Amino acid sequence: MTLANLRLQITRKAKQLGADLVGFAPVSRWEELNEVPAPFYPQHIFPFTRTVIVLAVPVFIPMVDTTPSVVYAELYNTTNRILDEMAYKLAQFINGKGHRSVYFPRDAYGDISALIDKPEAAFSHVLAAKYAGLGTIGFSHALLTKEYGPRVRLVSVFTDAELSPDPMPEKELCIHCELCSKCCPTDSLLSSQKPVADMDKHNCSIYHQQLKQRFCYPCGVCIKVCPIGNDRKLYGQPTQKYLKEKKDLGKEVNSNDYPDWTHIRNFGSL
Ligand code: SF4
Ligand code: SF4
């Protein structure tokens, strides 16, 4: 089988397994763009790797709108489970075609407390997705896609097959509205002229630990409020409501302006 044919089959299989977006990144991009230290390169993590295949599934705006809630927490867990299962099955499929393949699990940390002392992951799915042409990195540090803005979850499959790469977008998708920074409940995204915010990861992790104890982890506000993404056309764009939410709910947690979101928050979590 030619590599072009294998690429087609991998794309078709990934879609059959439920991937919404699929992108191919050659390992050379980690070296050329040199944005992380060499031990974080896929070719250092699994030395046979020549291509990283990134799979993405969306999270639905009306569910993430309810965050912090058990409804968004369950959505987050479901997407992680789907991604890990898809990645496992895709790696198995590629192995069956005679090429070495493994995957890097979705949330590769044992507990949020591990991120408080060590906030970096061993491998960044966000960076892999950028190199695989799925989108660009926004001010919030999340991957922004034209289809779903930052409301995508990602997983990566490594293979020794040298598959032709997807082009990386030339234009940044982030419009620097800073809604993510203004709405962040912990002020962890520090306003600046930089393309990507200075982020207080420790602060963000401490908040996540509290949410985990309340059964409504993760936060997700910075992905909920982002105006980028065609999914806004489907569900609407209540950005003014987002801007007011932090202030209004600070005064009255059951404000009548947010009856749907606050109802869900009042049940199933603490
Ligand atoms: S996840 Fe929440 S706390 Fe962390 S940066 Fe985003 S909005 Fe702020
Ligand atoms: S909310 Fe605005 S500033 Fe933040 S990532 Fe989205 S477009 Fe960029």
PDB file of all heavy atoms in Angstrom, residues 140 180 183-189 199-200 203-205 207-208 211 218-223, ligand 1:
ATOM      1  N   SER A 140      -6.015  32.684  25.019  1.00  0.00           N
ATOM      2  CA  SER A 140      -6.348  31.859  26.192  1.00  0.00           C
ATOM      3  C   SER A 140      -5.471  30.619  26.333  1.00  0.00           C
ATOM      4  O   SER A 140      -5.698  29.816  27.233  1.00  0.00           O
ATOM      5  CB  SER A 140      -7.796  31.406  26.066  1.00  0.00           C
ATOM      6  OG  SER A 140      -7.942  30.628  24.883  1.00  0.00           O
ATOM      7  N   CYS A 180     -11.914  36.108  27.044  1.00  0.00           N
ATOM      8  CA  CYS A 180     -11.436  35.000  27.890  1.00  0.00           C
ATOM      9  C   CYS A 180     -10.791  35.547  29.159  1.00  0.00           C
ATOM     10  O   CYS A 180     -11.025  35.032  30.260  1.00  0.00           O
ATOM     11  CB  CYS A 180     -10.463  34.113  27.116  1.00  0.00           C
ATOM     12  SG  CYS A 180      -9.157  35.010  26.264  1.00  0.00           S
ATOM     13  N   CYS A 183     -13.523  37.378  31.497  1.00  0.00           N
ATOM     14  CA  CYS A 183     -14.503  36.496  32.150  1.00  0.00           C
ATOM     15  C   CYS A 183     -13.856  35.456  33.050  1.00  0.00           C
ATOM     16  O   CYS A 183     -14.560  34.768  33.797  1.00  0.00           O
ATOM     17  CB  CYS A 183     -15.348  35.796  31.094  1.00  0.00           C
ATOM     18  SG  CYS A 183     -16.343  36.925  30.103  1.00  0.00           S
ATOM     19  N   CYS A 184     -12.548  35.295  33.004  1.00  0.00           N
ATOM     20  CA  CYS A 184     -11.870  34.274  33.823  1.00  0.00           C
ATOM     21  C   CYS A 184     -12.191  34.507  35.302  1.00  0.00           C
ATOM     22  O   CYS A 184     -11.960  35.594  35.824  1.00  0.00           O
ATOM     23  CB  CYS A 184     -10.356  34.338  33.592  1.00  0.00           C
ATOM     24  SG  CYS A 184      -9.431  33.288  34.740  1.00  0.00           S
ATOM     25  N   PRO A 185     -12.730  33.496  35.993  1.00  0.00           N
ATOM     26  CA  PRO A 185     -13.131  33.702  37.396  1.00  0.00           C
ATOM     27  C   PRO A 185     -11.959  33.912  38.346  1.00  0.00           C
ATOM     28  O   PRO A 185     -12.161  34.347  39.477  1.00  0.00           O
ATOM     29  CB  PRO A 185     -13.887  32.411  37.738  1.00  0.00           C
ATOM     30  CG  PRO A 185     -13.446  31.415  36.738  1.00  0.00           C
ATOM     31  CD  PRO A 185     -13.071  32.168  35.495  1.00  0.00           C
ATOM     32  N   THR A 186     -10.745  33.595  37.907  1.00  0.00           N
ATOM     33  CA  THR A 186      -9.590  33.726  38.809  1.00  0.00           C
ATOM     34  C   THR A 186      -8.576  34.754  38.296  1.00  0.00           C
ATOM     35  O   THR A 186      -7.475  34.852  38.844  1.00  0.00           O
ATOM     36  CB  THR A 186      -8.873  32.368  38.950  1.00  0.00           C
ATOM     37  OG1 THR A 186      -8.416  31.966  37.652  1.00  0.00           O
ATOM     38  CG2 THR A 186      -9.791  31.301  39.514  1.00  0.00           C
ATOM     39  N   ASP A 187      -8.939  35.470  37.238  1.00  0.00           N
ATOM     40  CA  ASP A 187      -8.027  36.456  36.638  1.00  0.00           C
ATOM     41  C   ASP A 187      -6.651  35.846  36.342  1.00  0.00           C
ATOM     42  O   ASP A 187      -5.606  36.459  36.591  1.00  0.00           O
ATOM     43  CB  ASP A 187      -7.881  37.688  37.549  1.00  0.00           C
ATOM     44  CG  ASP A 187      -9.215  38.400  37.738  1.00  0.00           C
ATOM     45  OD1 ASP A 187      -9.966  38.494  36.748  1.00  0.00           O
ATOM     46  OD2 ASP A 187      -9.528  38.824  38.855  1.00  0.00           O
ATOM     47  N   SER A 188      -6.673  34.634  35.820  1.00  0.00           N
ATOM     48  CA  SER A 188      -5.409  33.935  35.543  1.00  0.00           C
ATOM     49  C   SER A 188      -4.810  34.268  34.176  1.00  0.00           C
ATOM     50  O   SER A 188      -3.667  33.911  33.901  1.00  0.00           O
ATOM     51  CB  SER A 188      -5.614  32.417  35.624  1.00  0.00           C
ATOM     52  OG  SER A 188      -5.951  32.045  36.928  1.00  0.00           O
ATOM     53  N   LEU A 189      -5.606  34.908  33.298  1.00  0.00           N
ATOM     54  CA  LEU A 189      -5.074  35.284  31.973  1.00  0.00           C
ATOM     55  C   LEU A 189      -4.779  36.774  32.003  1.00  0.00           C
ATOM     56  O   LEU A 189      -5.690  37.603  32.000  1.00  0.00           O
ATOM     57  CB  LEU A 189      -6.099  34.959  30.880  1.00  0.00           C
ATOM     58  CG  LEU A 189      -6.434  33.476  30.715  1.00  0.00           C
ATOM     59  CD1 LEU A 189      -7.656  33.283  29.819  1.00  0.00           C
ATOM     60  CD2 LEU A 189      -5.243  32.710  30.150  1.00  0.00           C
ATOM     61  N   MET A 199       0.012  33.491  31.656  1.00  0.00           N
ATOM     62  CA  MET A 199      -1.026  32.756  32.386  1.00  0.00           C
ATOM     63  C   MET A 199      -0.517  32.359  33.763  1.00  0.00           C
ATOM     64  O   MET A 199       0.594  31.843  33.879  1.00  0.00           O
ATOM     65  CB  MET A 199      -1.420  31.511  31.584  1.00  0.00           C
ATOM     66  CG  MET A 199      -2.559  30.730  32.195  1.00  0.00           C
ATOM     67  SD  MET A 199      -3.018  29.383  31.095  1.00  0.00           S
ATOM     68  CE  MET A 199      -4.386  28.679  31.983  1.00  0.00           C
ATOM     69  N   ASP A 200      -1.334  32.593  34.771  1.00  0.00           N
ATOM     70  CA  ASP A 200      -0.998  32.126  36.115  1.00  0.00           C
ATOM     71  C   ASP A 200      -1.540  30.701  36.252  1.00  0.00           C
ATOM     72  O   ASP A 200      -2.675  30.481  36.680  1.00  0.00           O
ATOM     73  CB  ASP A 200      -1.625  33.067  37.154  1.00  0.00           C
ATOM     74  CG  ASP A 200      -1.124  32.750  38.556  1.00  0.00           C
ATOM     75  OD1 ASP A 200      -0.709  31.600  38.786  1.00  0.00           O
ATOM     76  OD2 ASP A 200      -1.154  33.655  39.404  1.00  0.00           O
ATOM     77  N   ASN A 203      -2.552  29.459  39.795  1.00  0.00           N
ATOM     78  CA  ASN A 203      -3.862  29.996  40.200  1.00  0.00           C
ATOM     79  C   ASN A 203      -5.005  29.203  39.567  1.00  0.00           C
ATOM     80  O   ASN A 203      -5.979  28.827  40.231  1.00  0.00           O
ATOM     81  CB  ASN A 203      -3.915  31.449  39.701  1.00  0.00           C
ATOM     82  CG  ASN A 203      -4.692  32.339  40.600  1.00  0.00           C
ATOM     83  OD1 ASN A 203      -4.856  32.024  41.770  1.00  0.00           O
ATOM     84  ND2 ASN A 203      -5.188  33.434  40.076  1.00  0.00           N
ATOM     85  N   CYS A 204      -4.875  28.964  38.277  1.00  0.00           N
ATOM     86  CA  CYS A 204      -5.888  28.219  37.523  1.00  0.00           C
ATOM     87  C   CYS A 204      -6.009  26.793  38.087  1.00  0.00           C
ATOM     88  O   CYS A 204      -7.118  26.287  38.282  1.00  0.00           O
ATOM     89  CB  CYS A 204      -5.484  28.212  36.047  1.00  0.00           C
ATOM     90  SG  CYS A 204      -6.510  27.230  34.959  1.00  0.00           S
ATOM     91  N   SER A 205      -4.865  26.155  38.404  1.00  0.00           N
ATOM     92  CA  SER A 205      -4.894  24.778  38.926  1.00  0.00           C
ATOM     93  C   SER A 205      -5.518  24.719  40.314  1.00  0.00           C
ATOM     94  O   SER A 205      -6.247  23.772  40.636  1.00  0.00           O
ATOM     95  CB  SER A 205      -3.481  24.187  38.988  1.00  0.00           C
ATOM     96  OG  SER A 205      -2.944  24.098  37.700  1.00  0.00           O
ATOM     97  N   TYR A 207      -7.835  26.652  41.463  1.00  0.00           N
ATOM     98  CA  TYR A 207      -9.284  26.766  41.251  1.00  0.00           C
ATOM     99  C   TYR A 207      -9.860  25.429  40.772  1.00  0.00           C
ATOM    100  O   TYR A 207     -10.921  24.989  41.216  1.00  0.00           O
ATOM    101  CB  TYR A 207      -9.560  27.883  40.245  1.00  0.00           C
ATOM    102  CG  TYR A 207     -11.017  28.110  39.940  1.00  0.00           C
ATOM    103  CD1 TYR A 207     -11.930  28.414  40.954  1.00  0.00           C
ATOM    104  CD2 TYR A 207     -11.497  28.021  38.634  1.00  0.00           C
ATOM    105  CE1 TYR A 207     -13.275  28.624  40.662  1.00  0.00           C
ATOM    106  CE2 TYR A 207     -12.838  28.240  38.344  1.00  0.00           C
ATOM    107  CZ  TYR A 207     -13.720  28.541  39.359  1.00  0.00           C
ATOM    108  OH  TYR A 207     -15.049  28.746  39.079  1.00  0.00           O
ATOM    109  N   HIS A 208      -9.116  24.768  39.861  1.00  0.00           N
ATOM    110  CA  HIS A 208      -9.579  23.472  39.361  1.00  0.00           C
ATOM    111  C   HIS A 208      -9.656  22.429  40.467  1.00  0.00           C
ATOM    112  O   HIS A 208     -10.549  21.579  40.484  1.00  0.00           O
ATOM    113  CB  HIS A 208      -8.670  22.990  38.224  1.00  0.00           C
ATOM    114  CG  HIS A 208      -9.083  23.534  36.893  1.00  0.00           C
ATOM    115  ND1 HIS A 208      -8.377  24.487  36.218  1.00  0.00           N
ATOM    116  CD2 HIS A 208     -10.175  23.292  36.138  1.00  0.00           C
ATOM    117  CE1 HIS A 208      -9.006  24.783  35.086  1.00  0.00           C
ATOM    118  NE2 HIS A 208     -10.093  24.080  35.025  1.00  0.00           N
ATOM    119  N   LEU A 211     -12.856  22.987  42.170  1.00  0.00           N
ATOM    120  CA  LEU A 211     -13.984  22.507  41.359  1.00  0.00           C
ATOM    121  C   LEU A 211     -14.084  20.984  41.400  1.00  0.00           C
ATOM    122  O   LEU A 211     -15.180  20.422  41.422  1.00  0.00           O
ATOM    123  CB  LEU A 211     -13.848  22.982  39.910  1.00  0.00           C
ATOM    124  CG  LEU A 211     -13.962  24.485  39.665  1.00  0.00           C
ATOM    125  CD1 LEU A 211     -13.808  24.789  38.178  1.00  0.00           C
ATOM    126  CD2 LEU A 211     -15.291  25.046  40.163  1.00  0.00           C
ATOM    127  N   PRO A 218     -14.020  20.449  34.791  1.00  0.00           N
ATOM    128  CA  PRO A 218     -13.137  21.607  34.878  1.00  0.00           C
ATOM    129  C   PRO A 218     -13.907  22.936  34.739  1.00  0.00           C
ATOM    130  O   PRO A 218     -15.124  22.944  34.605  1.00  0.00           O
ATOM    131  CB  PRO A 218     -12.209  21.415  33.682  1.00  0.00           C
ATOM    132  CG  PRO A 218     -13.090  20.762  32.649  1.00  0.00           C
ATOM    133  CD  PRO A 218     -14.081  19.913  33.417  1.00  0.00           C
ATOM    134  N   CYS A 219     -13.131  24.022  34.724  1.00  0.00           N
ATOM    135  CA  CYS A 219     -13.691  25.370  34.656  1.00  0.00           C
ATOM    136  C   CYS A 219     -14.252  25.648  33.255  1.00  0.00           C
ATOM    137  O   CYS A 219     -15.465  25.726  33.069  1.00  0.00           O
ATOM    138  CB  CYS A 219     -12.602  26.380  35.023  1.00  0.00           C
ATOM    139  SG  CYS A 219     -12.971  28.069  34.540  1.00  0.00           S
ATOM    140  N   GLY A 220     -13.410  25.817  32.272  1.00  0.00           N
ATOM    141  CA  GLY A 220     -13.870  25.965  30.879  1.00  0.00           C
ATOM    142  C   GLY A 220     -14.434  27.324  30.503  1.00  0.00           C
ATOM    143  O   GLY A 220     -14.915  27.501  29.380  1.00  0.00           O
ATOM    144  N   VAL A 221     -14.398  28.304  31.408  1.00  0.00           N
ATOM    145  CA  VAL A 221     -14.976  29.612  31.075  1.00  0.00           C
ATOM    146  C   VAL A 221     -14.265  30.230  29.870  1.00  0.00           C
ATOM    147  O   VAL A 221     -14.903  30.807  28.983  1.00  0.00           O
ATOM    148  CB  VAL A 221     -14.933  30.562  32.295  1.00  0.00           C
ATOM    149  CG1 VAL A 221     -15.236  31.998  31.881  1.00  0.00           C
ATOM    150  CG2 VAL A 221     -15.928  30.094  33.347  1.00  0.00           C
ATOM    151  N   CYS A 222     -12.944  30.089  29.787  1.00  0.00           N
ATOM    152  CA  CYS A 222     -12.217  30.725  28.674  1.00  0.00           C
ATOM    153  C   CYS A 222     -12.569  30.092  27.328  1.00  0.00           C
ATOM    154  O   CYS A 222     -12.458  30.760  26.292  1.00  0.00           O
ATOM    155  CB  CYS A 222     -10.710  30.740  28.920  1.00  0.00           C
ATOM    156  SG  CYS A 222     -10.008  29.192  29.469  1.00  0.00           S
ATOM    157  N   ILE A 223     -13.024  28.844  27.324  1.00  0.00           N
ATOM    158  CA  ILE A 223     -13.444  28.271  26.028  1.00  0.00           C
ATOM    159  C   ILE A 223     -14.923  28.563  25.756  1.00  0.00           C
ATOM    160  O   ILE A 223     -15.343  28.726  24.629  1.00  0.00           O
ATOM    161  CB  ILE A 223     -13.114  26.769  25.897  1.00  0.00           C
ATOM    162  CG1 ILE A 223     -14.001  25.902  26.771  1.00  0.00           C
ATOM    163  CG2 ILE A 223     -11.665  26.477  26.169  1.00  0.00           C
ATOM    164  CD1 ILE A 223     -14.025  24.459  26.295  1.00  0.00           C
TER     165      ILE A 223
HETATM  166  S1  SF4 B   1      -9.704  27.487  32.833  1.00  0.00           S
HETATM  167 FE1  SF4 B   1     -10.933  28.978  34.006  1.00  0.00          FE
HETATM  168  S2  SF4 B   1      -9.565  29.677  35.650  1.00  0.00           S
HETATM  169 FE2  SF4 B   1      -8.270  28.709  34.102  1.00  0.00          FE
HETATM  170  S3  SF4 B   1      -7.647  30.364  32.723  1.00  0.00           S
HETATM  171 FE3  SF4 B   1      -9.510  29.491  31.813  1.00  0.00          FE
HETATM  172  S4  SF4 B   1     -11.160  30.732  32.636  1.00  0.00           S
HETATM  173 FE4  SF4 B   1      -9.386  31.114  33.920  1.00  0.00          FE
END
